[in-house]
Structure formats: structure tokens, C-alpha cells
Amino acid sequence: MDDLNGHIQDEEFYHTKNYEDFTTIDWIQDSIIERNRRIRANQEADLHRRGPRGEVTAAWLWSKLRHVLHAGQSWFVVTLVGIGIGVNAALISVITEWLSDLKMGYCSDGWWLNQQFCCWEVEGDEDNPCDSWHPWSTVTAARWLIYVLFASMFSFGAAHLVRSLAKYAAGSGISEIKCILAGFIMKGFLGLVTLLIKSLTLPLVIASGLSVGKEGPSVHVACCIGNVMASLSSRFSRSEGKKREILTAASAAGVAVAFGSPIGGVLFSIEEMSHTFSIKTMWRSFFCALVATVTLSAMNPFRTGKLVLFQVTYDRDWHFFEIIFFVILGIFGGLYGAFMVKFNLQVAAFRRKHLASHGVAEAVTLATLTAMVGYFNRFLRVDMTEMMAILFRECESGGDYDNLCKSAFQWPMVNSLLLATAIRIGFVVISYGAKVPAGIFVPSMAIGATFGRMVGIMVKAMYQAYPTSGIFAFCQPDVPCITPGTYAFLGAAAALSGVMRITVTVVVIMFELTGALTYILPTMIVLLVTKAVGDFLNVRGIADEMIRFNGFPFLEKEDHAFNASVSRVMTTDLHTLSVSGLTVADLERILVDTKVQGYPIVSSASARTLVGYIGRPELRYVIDKAQQMRRVSLQTPCSFAAERNAEGQLDTLGITSAPAIGLDEDSAEEIIHSTASDHVLNLWPWVNQTPITVSPQLPLEITMQMFKRLGPRVILVEDRGTLVGLVTVKDVLRFMMTEKQESESWDDRGGIDAVLEEVWAWIMQVEETIVSWCQRIIRIFRR
């Protein structure tokens, strides 16, 4: 019975101690609690030794078994997370393909079969793939209308479910997960309801034809699975820091199943997602990504032996003269990324200001417009992943889709690809950020693929028109010289890198997609050019920009130079507690009147000599627990002064302690019972007696490094032992916005007229760049 009561009280402590919503983790405090748990576990293990003569006892065997189970618990949880992510990804892929084909027709052999499986190993054309596949109508206008109606219904269902049941299921989720991994608390964002609704609505959104992708939301879904699995384990559920190790591994697995790239997923979690990354977390991420990929491969959703629909293999070499055109693709990727980030934020500001309560109508309107326009373009009508699979293929390997590889149709095909690129860019700008699950990975890759294939066809046409030109001297006469599919592949990599501002990850992902070692160097060249263009234009990734747009407390990895001290940033209006002289009633009043997350403790209100710091949850818990135990009254005095024994050391009451003690539920009740009485309520065991402090003259850049590397929730500022202020991450971000003149709201940047002006300026810049490069190429041929 005592054990049951102790367990209930432990659970009460956990829920009381839990971080509040939209706050940040104190990583130092969390680490101290974990340290105390490990010490107590070791002390408990020492109690169960062998017998007097070294014989094996039941207690010793049980302690060893518990140690083994505890050590393997994390790997067991990671394995379950990987399996869950793989199964979820396979189901989403199958349902998405079926819904996408449902807009065009149905299979008479089975309503559950999409076009690929309905016409398995049957030759046919685009309009009549096989006898078992029946289009909804033979009349073009009717097929167009049915196509649009299905798109509208799918988008309505997805948007309505998101608005009604899980608001956090909207969007990509990459920005929020980056903040969560950095210590931000968003309750419900990774919950079970969000997982179910996003998994259900994601196929609907992709099938509706909206210019959004499922790869970004796949990371969110994977982290939801990781959070649900971690919550079932006591080791991870009681520690926010430990839970984020599982979330980091889950994010890697999410990218791994999205692209069939386990190593790329691990690199993505290092380069883009995680703020700090340890070797242990890397191994867990790799193992989780591997398990998820193996699970997806075992389920084989496409029945092709490939992990993603657009996975290809290149066995043809490239030529050094093609570097000129690879550079063009890199420039396009950098310009596209800058354009997308800039104008999507304009659209996001407009959406926040005017469409906040019209999410369903907006999604339906966008899907309807996309379907109405896209139906008449061969590259916009099909699913984006299927379209990339078509554009990536070599013409000699069955890649001639709708006369894509025939020279007689090359210029109409160029016009169609250019139109598809321009239209999709416009739709991605206005669709990304709608109130439905929406990613930007695949839409960006699709844009780069259409542009790259267009460039490849043009280069191939040049070779066919001028085969004896000096630039084509290395081409063998009987072997195809130009492979347009590789240009589509490199263009997709450039566009993805340009909008996300990641490089190494994209190289590895594209390599794992193709398995072609020969194209690693071209991919690196293209991405380095893309990065150089983005750096020249001072563009950050769209995930980082959305973090700034939403005002999340997140410090970037890059270093800054402000030439300012902490005194310019710190908060001076503080709510402090005196080390003595307060009663329980005084503390209750302070807790009600203030909303801060912690209180500095000073020697007195006048002297303000810093003594320590106590968090609001700890203070609230101790008072409530002491009152439940009937150990105190409202008039009981409170003391924050540390008690020392005869040797001058802190009296730890037999509990593992530290200067900045972080006590958890295992020892809380014992300390309260030992220290609380009608005479005084001792709160010193919950006081951080060595909080992180800095001088007012310390450069702000050093303080930012302390926040990034140590992860405290608050840093106190003291001058010669006297408390003068405190600094939080929000204070630093507020200063950065004002100091760099970025405090201007995205809502106040000139409205639609300014947007049109900027669009026109960008069009003129791109036109000038293209004309300049064309003139250079013509001069090269004339030589």
C-alpha cells in the first residue's frame, strides 16, 4: 500500500513539475535530475551484492537483470519507433497513389487498385493504359470536371479534419520540430491525435494536386510516432532531454523513408534539425533510420523493389563541358530559393492578416485552381513524384513519356516544361503554409526537375544542331552524349538545396536515390553554386524564416557580431524573493500576481545580494505538497537559506545532492517530510544555489554562446555579487530584431503593390541573367 501511495505521489510530482506550454527546457536542471537518478540507481545496485562467500543470490540476479533491461530499453524503443515509421510511410504511399489515380479513373478488376497495379506488366499509352483501367469519361470536358471535383473534395476533407480535430496537423512541421528539439515546449504538437489526423489527411492533400509535398510532414509524423512511443517508456517520459534524443532519431527516420535514404536522414537531422548532436544520438538516429528503411523495403509499397517512386539508376558518364550548364542549374536553384523564401513570407503575412479564419475555403480554392490549370499541362496533371520519375529517366531505358524523348517534339516539350516550371512556382508560393499538411521538399524538387529537363533538352538540341562544334569534341559519335534526365536530377537537387539551404544532406540523398558514384561531383558543383548564390543574396532557409515569422524562441547556429554588452539586453524589472522573512501566504500571493517562470533569491530587498534561483513549478509543488501533508499553514515562515552541518557542509539529509540541486519525484516527499513543520518551511533543497551568472559588461555574443551550448532557461546578471537583471532567449531575439532593423512586421511591407513590384524586379533580374548566359554560350559555339 505504501508503494502504491508513493507511486501516486510520484505521478503527482511529475505532472506538477512538467514544463508549461510554450516555455523552454532548462537543460542544466534536466541534466542534474538525470545525474541524481543515475547515482541513486548505482547506490541501489550496490545494495544487492553476492552472498558472504560470493554465492549468487536472487537479489543479485534481479539487480543484474534490471540493469540489462534498463540498458536495452532505449534501443527497444528506437526499434519500435523505426518500425512504426516504416509501416506508416508505406501505408501513406499506397493510399496516396490510389487517391491520385482515382481522379482519372478506376480499375474494373478491383476498386482498391491504382493505375500502376491495375495495368501491371501491360503495355499501353497515357489515355488507354490497359483494358482494366477505365477513365471516368471519354469526353475531355467531363474528365476535366471530374478531375477538378475530386481535387476539391480531397482538399475539403483534409482541411476540415485539420481545423476540427488537430490544428497542429497543418503545415510542414519542420520549423516547430527544430524549436522542440532545441528545448521549446508545444503540448499536443506531437500528440496521438496530431499523428492520426496528419497521417489520414496527408494522402488527401497530395491526391488533391495541391503544390505541396509529403516529405516535410513525414518528418512531423515520424516525430509524433517517436513521441508516442517515448511516452510509453518511463525512462523517456519523465525526462524532456532524453525524449528529444528519440525525437532526433525519429526525424532522421522520417527523411529516410521519405527519400529511401537512411544516411541522408541522419545527415539531415545533424545539418538541419538538431541544435546539438552527440555521437550516441547519431548512432540511435542511424539505427532508427535503418529499421524504418528496412521495414519500408519489406512492405515494398510500389512492388518495384525501390523505396521511393522516383528512384533511378544512372550508368552513363558526364563530360567536363557540361559543367557550364551545371552552373546554370546551380544559379537557378539559388535564385529559386531566394524567390520562394521572400514571396512565401509575403503570402504568409497576407494569410495571417486576412485568411486566418478561412483555412478550409482557402485550401479548397487553391486545390480547385491548381486542378483547373494543371490538367492541361502533361507535367502538372500527374503526381509530382510520378512526374519526377518520368523526368529522371534515361531515354534509352523506356523513359519516353508522351514524346518526351523525340527530337521532333523537343521544342513543344521545352515550352511545356517552361510553363510547368513557372506555374508550379506560383502555386507553391501561395500553397505552402495553407491550413493542411504541406511540405516543400518535393514541390521544390519538381520545379527543379522540370527546369533541369528543359535545360537538358536544349543542350541536347544544341549537340544535334552543332555536333562538330569544339565544345562537343569529347562526345563519341555512336554513343548518346547528353542525358537530359541527369539535368532534371541535378535541377531537383539545386532547387531543394536553394529553398532549404542544406548541402551535404542533399548530396547524400541524391546519391542514395541514384546509386551513381559518377554524379557525386556534378551534384556537389551544382549545390556549391546554389549555396554561393544564396549566400550572395543573404537568404536563409525557409524553415528558419518561418521560425522568425512565428516568433519562436530559437537561436540560429550562425555567430553574430553586435558590439553590445549584456546590459543592453537584460531585463531589470525583476520579481525576487528574499532569503527569509516571507510566509506561505506571501508566496501564494506572489505566485498569483506574477507569471514568470522563476524567481531570483536575494539576501534582502534592499541589498539584493544574489543567493540562488528557484523555478516556479518547484515552488508551486513544494507548497502544495506541504499543505497536503498538513505540515504547514499560511502563516508558516519560509526559508531559502541552505542548512549546514557541524563541518560546514550542506546537510543533504541523506539525499544525493549538488550545489545546483535538481530533485525529482523519487526524493521529494522525503525531503518535505523532513524539513517542513509549523515553525519553518525549508525550500533550500529546490534552490539552484549556483545559477549561471554573467557580468553586465560581458559581450552579448558570449551570452548567446552560453544559451546555445549550455541551454539554460535564464541567465542572471550580477555586478559584484549584486543582482541587477536577467537575460532569456526571448530578450536576445528581441534585441536582434531591433538592432538589425528587422523588427518590421512582414504584414507591413507594402501590401500587394510592393509584392508585384518585387516580382517584376525578380523577373527582370532572372531575364537579364538568362540572356547573359545565352550570349556567352552563343559566343562559345561561334568559336
Side-chain angles (χ1 to χ4, degrees):
M1 187 68 181
D2 292 338
D3 294 339
L4 177 61
N5 292 334
H7 176 71
I8 295 175
Q9 290 165 349
D10 290 350
E11 291 297 319
E12 290 176 358
F13 178 89
Y14 171 74
H15 291 295
T16 307
K17 172 77 171 58
N18 202 5
Y19 290 100
E20 298 181 15
D21 203 8
F22 299 110
T23 58
T24 54
I25 297 174
D26 192 325
W27 292 94
I28 297 177
Q29 185 81 352
D30 204 71
S31 299
I32 292 172
I33 293 176
E34 281 300 310
R35 173 253 189 192
N36 285 346
R37 286 196 181 109
R38 289 194 299 269
I39 292 178
R40 281 192 294 274
N42 293 336
Q43 291 176 344
E44 183 178 353
D46 291 339
L47 296 177
H48 303 290
R49 298 182 181 273
R50 294 195 178 193
R53 290 172 294 184
E55 64 271 16
V56 176
T57 62
W60 182 83
L61 286 175
W62 174 241
S63 66
K64 292 300 180 184
L65 179 61
R66 289 183 59 185
H67 178 73
V68 172
L69 293 176
H70 181 78
Q73 185 178 10
S74 60
W75 294 102
F76 178 70
V77 172
V78 168
T79 302
L80 291 181
V81 171
I83 294 174
I85 293 172
V87 172
N88 183 271
L91 293 176
I92 288 178
S93 297
V94 171
I95 296 173
T96 300
E97 289 300 312
W98 177 70
L99 290 175
S100 297
D101 290 343
L102 189 63
K103 295 186 297 183
M104 306 299 297
Y106 65 95
C107 183
S108 59
D109 293 342
W111 60 268
W112 60 88
L113 297 176
N114 63 8
Q115 181 176 324
Q116 177 188 5
F117 290 108
C118 184
C119 302
W120 192 257
E121 296 182 352
V122 177
E123 295 292 336
D125 54 24
E126 181 186 3
D127 296 327
N128 297 297
C130 65
D131 295 335
S132 298
W133 182 259
H134 296 278
W136 291 111
S137 175
T138 57
V139 181
T140 302
R143 293 170 69 176
W144 172 79
L145 181 61
I146 294 174
Y147 181 90
V148 174
L149 288 176
F150 268 111
S152 302
M153 288 190 300
F154 290 159
S155 60
F156 173 79
H160 181 71
L161 287 173
V162 169
R163 185 186 66 176
S164 303
L165 301 177
K167 63 177 182 178
Y168 284 147
S172 171
I174 296 291
S175 303
E176 290 83 355
I177 292 173
K178 287 185 66 174
C179 296
I180 289 174
L181 292 179
F184 194 52
I185 302 293
M186 293 184 68
K187 295 181 178 179
F189 188 82
L190 300 177
L192 181 60
V193 176
T194 303
L195 168 63
L196 296 176
I197 297 301
K198 196 150 192 170
S199 299
L200 179 63
T201 56
L202 189 54
L204 291 172
V205 173
I206 303 304
S208 70
L210 275 171
S211 295
V212 296
K214 64 179 182 180
E215 277 65 24
S218 294
V219 177
H220 185 189
V221 170
C223 289
C224 289
I225 295 174
N227 181 69
V228 171
M229 294 295 183
S231 300
L232 301 177
S233 170
S234 60
R235 181 180 181 183
F236 297 103
S237 62
R238 63 185 183 180
S239 173
E240 294 290 344
K242 289 290 184 181
K243 185 183 294 184
R244 271 147 183 78
E245 295 179 4
I246 300 297
L247 297 181
T248 302
S251 67
V255 175
V257 296
F259 293 103
S261 173
I263 301 177
V266 175
L267 288 176
F268 178 81
S269 63
I270 296 175
E271 186 176 1
E272 178 67 10
M273 300 301 297
S274 181
H275 210 52
T276 57
F277 208 91
S278 64
I279 299 298
K280 180 177 64 174
T281 304
M282 183 186 70
W283 278 112
R284 286 179 180 171
S285 300
F286 177 75
F287 183 74
C288 187
L290 180 63
V291 171
T293 307
V294 169
T295 303
L296 181 63
S297 178
M299 297 189 69
N300 196 11
F302 305 112
R303 293 297 184 268
T304 60
K306 298 179 180 179
L307 296 178
V308 290
L309 190 60
F310 50 87
Q311 189 170 358
V312 292
T313 300
Y314 294 123
D315 53 7
R316 190 177 300 160
D317 205 350
W318 57 281
H319 306 86
F320 276 97
F321 71 84
E322 294 183 279
I323 292 179
I324 300 173
F325 308 106
F326 296 161
V327 170
I328 295 176
L329 296 178
I331 293 174
F332 170 79
L335 293 176
Y336 162 76
F339 181 90
M340 179 59 60
V341 170
K342 191 177 187 67
F343 292 107
N344 182 257
L345 288 173
Q346 294 277 10
V347 173
F350 179 84
R351 179 179 290 115
R352 174 181 290 180
K353 187 175 182 180
H354 301 287
L355 302 176
S357 57
H358 305 285
V360 176
E362 179 195 4
V364 173
T365 302
L366 289 174
T368 303
L369 289 175
T370 305
M372 292 173 64
V373 175
Y375 183 83
F376 298 101
N377 185 285
R378 69 195 85 191
F379 300 109
L380 297 177
R381 183 166 56 246
V382 298
D383 181 72
M384 283 182 287
T385 54
E386 184 179 353
M387 184 267 294
M388 281 192 287
I390 294 169
L391 295 179
F392 286 174
R393 293 176 192 160
E394 296 179 354
C395 290
E396 292 73 19
S397 303
D400 189 10
Y401 166 79
D402 198 13
N403 301 318
L404 180 63
C405 295
K406 294 181 179 178
S407 300
F409 297 90
Q410 61 186 8
W411 296 116
M413 199 61 62
V414 166
N415 294 332
S416 182
L417 288 167
L418 180 60
L419 189 62
T421 302
I423 293 176
R424 197 178 295 281
I425 287 176
F427 277 121
V428 172
V429 167
I430 62 177
S431 300
Y432 181 70
K435 300 302 181 182
V436 291
I440 202 170
F441 284 34
V442 164
S444 297
M445 294 178 68
I447 290 170
T450 52
F451 180 83
R453 186 75 185 216
M454 180 190 70
V455 173
I457 293 176
M458 295 172 65
V459 175
K460 185 177 181 180
M462 289 186 214
Y463 168 68
Q464 293 173 345
Y466 305 97
T468 59
S469 176
I471 195 173
F472 299 119
F474 295 97
C475 295
Q476 300 179 12
D478 299 331
V479 178
C481 181
I482 305 298
T483 307
T486 61
Y487 286 77
F489 160 77
L490 295 173
L496 176 58
S497 177
V499 75
M500 293 299 297
R501 302 290 286 142
I502 52 179
T503 53
V504 179
T505 300
V506 177
V507 172
V508 175
I509 287 176
M510 302 312 275
F511 163 66
E512 291 186 280
L513 280 177
T514 61
L517 285 169
T518 54
Y519 277 89
I520 286 184
L521 182 58
T523 307
M524 294 174 65
I525 293 173
V526 169
L527 296 187
L528 286 176
V529 174
T530 300
K531 185 180 187 306
V533 173
D535 292 342
F536 176 76
L537 297 175
N538 195 24
V539 177
R540 285 179 288 191
I542 194 167
D544 294 330
E545 289 289 356
M546 292 308 298
I547 289 174
R548 290 179 56 246
F549 180 79
N550 292 318
F552 295 140
F554 182 82
L555 288 176
E556 303 165 0
K557 296 180 181 179
E558 291 79 9
D559 295 329
H560 300 272
F562 297 111
N563 193 25
S565 62
V566 175
S567 58
R568 292 186 57 186
V569 181
M570 66 182 185
T571 300
T572 55
D573 185 16
L574 305 180
H575 300 281
T576 60
L577 301 176
S578 299
V579 71
S580 60
L582 296 174
T583 63
V584 173
D586 295 331
L587 295 181
E588 290 278 11
R589 176 179 51 79
I590 293 173
L591 288 172
V592 172
D593 295 341
T594 61
K595 301 298 181 182
V596 295
Q597 297 301 315
Y599 303 90
I601 300 171
V602 295
S603 58
S604 64
S606 57
R608 295 176 69 88
T609 301
L610 182 63
V611 176
Y613 182 87
I614 188 170
R616 182 188 185 92
E618 288 83 0
L619 185 60
R620 177 78 273 170
Y621 168 75
V622 174
I623 294 176
D624 291 345
K625 182 60 68 174
Q627 290 177 339
Q628 291 176 11
M629 298 170 63
R630 301 185 183 277
R631 306 288 295 175
V632 299
S633 63
L634 291 177
Q635 288 73 35
T636 300
C638 299
S639 174
F640 295 95
E643 297 182 358
R644 299 183 180 273
N645 55 25
E647 289 78 16
Q649 298 177 345
L650 289 177
D651 186 4
T652 62
L653 303 173
I655 302 299
T656 301
S657 182
I661 189 169
L663 297 178
D664 65 1
E665 62 271 21
D666 296 331
S667 55
E669 183 182 354
E670 180 181 350
I671 291 183
I672 293 175
H673 188 273
S674 303
T675 59
S677 65
D678 292 335
H679 301 290
V680 64
L681 174 60
N682 289 313
L683 293 157
W684 68 264
W686 284 268
V687 174
N688 183 350
Q689 299 173 33
T690 57
I692 296 180
T693 60
V694 296
S695 169
Q697 292 77 34
L698 186 72
L700 179 60
E701 296 83 358
I702 307 301
T703 307
M704 294 174 63
Q705 291 296 327
M706 296 173 67
F707 276 118
K708 294 176 185 178
R709 298 178 182 180
L710 299 178
R713 174 182 280 182
V714 62
I715 295 179
L716 302 180
V717 184
E718 61 174 351
D719 188 10
R720 299 180 180 88
T722 302
L723 180 68
V724 294
L726 60 81
V727 182
T728 63
V729 173
K730 291 184 179 180
D731 295 328
V732 176
L733 293 174
R734 191 180 301 113
F735 173 81
M736 291 173 60
M737 295 292 289
T738 55
E739 181 68 13
K740 299 180 68 174
Q741 298 181 351
E742 294 177 353
S743 58
E744 178 186 7
S745 171
W746 291 102
D747 300 332
D748 304 325
R749 295 198 173 184
I752 191 64
D753 295 334
V755 173
L756 293 176
E757 291 178 3
E758 295 185 21
V759 170
W760 179 253
W762 270 94
I763 292 175
M764 296 302 294
Q765 292 178 11
V766 173
E767 181 182 0
E768 292 176 1
T769 303
I770 295 175
V771 170
S772 175
W773 276 101
C774 289
Q775 290 174 350
R776 294 181 184 180
I777 293 172
I778 292 173
R779 285 198 296 268
I780 292 174
F781 282 122
R782 287 178 177 176
R783 293 175 185 174

